[in-house]
Amino acid sequence: MSDTPSILFVCLGNICRSPMAEGAMRKLAELDKRDIQIDSAGTGSWHVGEAPDRRAQATALKHGVDISNLRARQVAPEDFHRFTHIVAMDRNNLSELRRMKPANATAELSLMLDHAGGPGGRDVADPYYGGAEGFVETWRDVMEGAAGLLAKL
Ligand code: 4NP
């Protein structure tokens, strides 16, 4: 048994928000010299096996975080036992996770921006169909959520 926290970040496609959240948390954990298992996944299957969206990769890289080696995967039932925390990027994905959650699941489910302070229930907006500026906002949101979560672990 280990006390190492393990976090799964979840969005819809696992090519924009959740890989950016994974990269942000890896960076913060490294700076803080914290031993944390970090992964990401999507509730949807359309992009399984793909690298993060180019715009997500470019935005993270601007902040010194290389997420080019990540590959999209779909959330699996065993994730609810493998991870101590499963963090959804928006309320739709949180609802989907609650629907999928096995009865004996051990992972704690939460919403990313509920770790950031401010009003509860806010979504990390889906940047996929928008322009580059949406990804700037995504990076800011995932850094705030990741920093807040890290402080609680
Ligand atoms: P993500 O963004 O959930 O942040 O990875 C999306 C990526 C792809 C799609 C939707 C959202 N899609 O519909 O293909």
Side-chain angles (χ1 to χ4, degrees):
M1 215 23 213
S2 130
D3 291 324
T4 307
S6 50
I7 305 165
L8 181 70
F9 294 106
V10 174
C11 62
L12 184 58
N14 193 211
I15 54 168
C16 298
R17 292 165 292 176
S18 61
M20 291 173 83
E22 178 177 350
M25 187 56 119
R26 285 190 189 282
K27 176 176 177 132
L28 292 174
E30 184 187 323
L31 288 171
D32 213 26
K33 297 186 166 50
R34 298 285 300 276
D35 182 20
I36 301 173
Q37 300 287 328
I38 304 160
D39 195 5
S40 65
T43 53
S45 62
W46 311 282
H47 298 280
V48 166
E50 292 179 22
D53 184 285
R54 285 180 180 281
R55 297 163 296 174
Q57 290 191 39
T59 307
L61 201 56
K62 245 183 221 169
H63 297 275
V65 180
D66 183 355
I67 58 170
S68 63
N69 62 336
L70 302 182
R71 294 295 176 267
R73 74 168 179 89
Q74 196 170 15
V75 178
E78 53 268 28
D79 288 325
F80 292 88
H81 300 280
R82 282 182 52 213
F83 292 91
T84 57
H85 298 73
I86 300 182
V87 184
M89 295 299 120
D90 65 27
R91 286 165 289 180
N92 284 339
N93 284 296
L94 183 59
S95 300
E96 182 59 17
L97 288 166
R98 287 192 175 129
R99 198 189 58 76
M100 291 177 68
K101 184 178 171 178
N104 58 349
T106 47
E108 189 180 301
L109 266 52
S110 62
L111 192 60
M112 185 64 158
L113 288 180
D114 282 356
H115 299 291
R122 289 181 298 137
D123 292 338
V124 177
D126 183 350
Y128 186 63
Y129 294 106
E133 68 284 351
F135 286 79
V136 174
E137 195 181 318
T138 305
W139 183 258
R140 189 196 61 214
D141 282 350
V142 298
M143 281 295 281
E144 280 183 16
L149 177 56
L150 183 63
K152 292 182 210 165
L153 294 174

